[in-house]
Amino acid sequence: MKIKINNQFFEFRAAPTVKELIQHVFPSGDFAGMALAVNQTVIPKSQWDSLLIHENDQIDIIKATQGG
């Protein structure tokens, strides 16, 4: 299954949850300051464990960084 994450395609064997998808992209497990949208709808962190991603979904991940 192909899923587009930040304009780049990734392959998954089965439909991942939001949390599984993020763990694949950011294996460090540091989700602080991170926001995610599925098909231009922001998904609250409280739904990351249960919301399944479907083929051809467009995922946008934003991670805040420090600096000035």
Side-chain angles (χ1 to χ4, degrees), residues 2-68:
K2 286 185 181 180
I3 300 172
K4 191 174 186 181
I5 304 170
N6 292 352
N7 294 318
Q8 182 178 2
F9 283 100
F10 289 82
E11 285 281 338
F12 291 86
R13 292 179 190 223
T17 64
V18 171
K19 187 171 184 178
E20 291 168 340
L21 179 136
I22 291 174
Q23 288 173 331
H24 179 78
V25 177
F26 296 96
S28 68
D30 180 16
F31 308 138
M34 190 175 291
L36 179 134
V38 177
N39 301 322
Q40 300 181 346
T41 300
V42 175
I43 307 301
K45 285 187 180 183
S46 62
Q47 295 179 12
W48 287 12
D49 287 331
S50 59
L51 182 70
L52 289 177
I53 302 299
H54 302 285
E55 187 158 24
N56 297 318
D57 278 349
Q58 182 174 332
I59 312 300
D60 295 303
I61 301 173
I62 299 168
K63 185 159 175 60
T65 58
Q66 283 185 298

